[in-house]
Amino acid sequence: MKAKVTVTLKSGVLDPQGRAIEGALKSLGWKGVKGVRVGKSIELEVDEKDPQSAKAVVEKMCEKLLANPVTEKYQIEIITDR
Amino acid sequence: MKAKVTVTLKSGVLDPQGRAIEGALKSLGWKGVKGVRVGKSIELEVDEKDPQSAKAVVEKMCEKLLANPVTEKYQIEIITDR
């Protein structure tokens, strides 16, 4: 079963990469852009048959490896039909 | 209006970061994991009132700066109510 994990920085955490992109977009002429935050998107396939257990497995992966629970939060999406 | 952009490598392009994560997950005991691909997730706010023009603006940003059209593809999601 396929899953998509989005790992983003928690709201209080400074995001220099986001700042840099925001600055670059502004200098390209998009003056109204704001709140740029950059995160990671991880797609993977796990060996589980049903969505619930797949989500549980991916959640453990996030806790152990994919995200840093001190500074990052994550969101898991299970893709059922493809 | 808020938008979420997911930039991922095109399917033919080698993804060493994804390979590394896959290896790490396997060595942590998740033997059945496969197809790990890593991308970027960018959240931003643009100065547009309606979803269609917001999407058009973000599309231009992707072409110009956020994605490398040679190796990457992107997906834009407009978040209307929050």
Side-chain angles (χ1 to χ4, degrees):
Chain A
M1 189 151 276
K2 279 197 176 185
K4 188 182 161 182
V5 180
T6 308
V7 180
T8 45
L9 288 168
K10 285 183 182 173
S11 55
V13 181
L14 206 66
D15 180 359
Q17 204 186 349
R19 284 282 181 88
I21 290 178
E22 194 171 314
L25 286 171
K26 281 188 174 146
S27 76
L28 283 170
W30 288 291
K31 302 290 181 205
V33 69
K34 61 181 179 182
V36 181
R37 305 282 289 172
V38 180
K40 272 177 295 184
S41 153
I42 302 155
E43 274 178 34
L44 48 85
E45 232 171 294
V46 290
D47 224 7
E48 301 288 328
K49 286 282 173 295
D50 77 299
Q52 255 139 6
S53 58
K55 195 174 179 176
V57 164
V58 177
E59 224 168 82
K60 267 188 208 147
M61 290 175 177
C62 287
E63 297 287 347
K64 277 258 192 187
L65 183 80
L66 303 178
N68 174 352
V70 179
T71 55
E72 294 172 328
K73 59 186 170 22
Y74 56 84
Q75 199 191 339
I76 299 165
E77 202 182 312
I78 301 294
I79 299 153
T80 41
D81 67 282
R82 60 166 166 142
Chain B
M1 190 152 273
K2 277 195 177 186
K4 189 181 160 182
V5 181
T6 308
V7 179
T8 46
L9 287 168
K10 285 183 182 173
S11 54
V13 181
L14 205 68
D15 180 0
Q17 204 186 348
R19 284 282 180 87
I21 290 177
E22 193 170 316
L25 287 170
K26 281 188 172 144
S27 76
L28 283 170
W30 288 290
K31 303 288 181 208
V33 70
K34 62 180 178 183
V36 180
R37 305 280 290 172
V38 180
K40 272 176 294 182
S41 153
I42 302 155
E43 273 176 37
L44 49 85
E45 229 171 296
V46 289
D47 223 8
E48 300 288 327
K49 286 282 173 293
D50 77 301
Q52 255 140 5
S53 57
K55 197 173 177 175
V57 165
V58 176
E59 226 168 80
K60 266 189 209 147
M61 289 174 177
C62 287
E63 297 288 347
K64 277 259 192 184
L65 183 80
L66 303 178
N68 174 352
V70 178
T71 56
E72 295 171 328
K73 58 186 171 22
Y74 56 85
Q75 200 191 338
I76 298 165
E77 203 182 310
I78 300 295
I79 299 153
T80 40
D81 68 283
R82 62 166 166 139

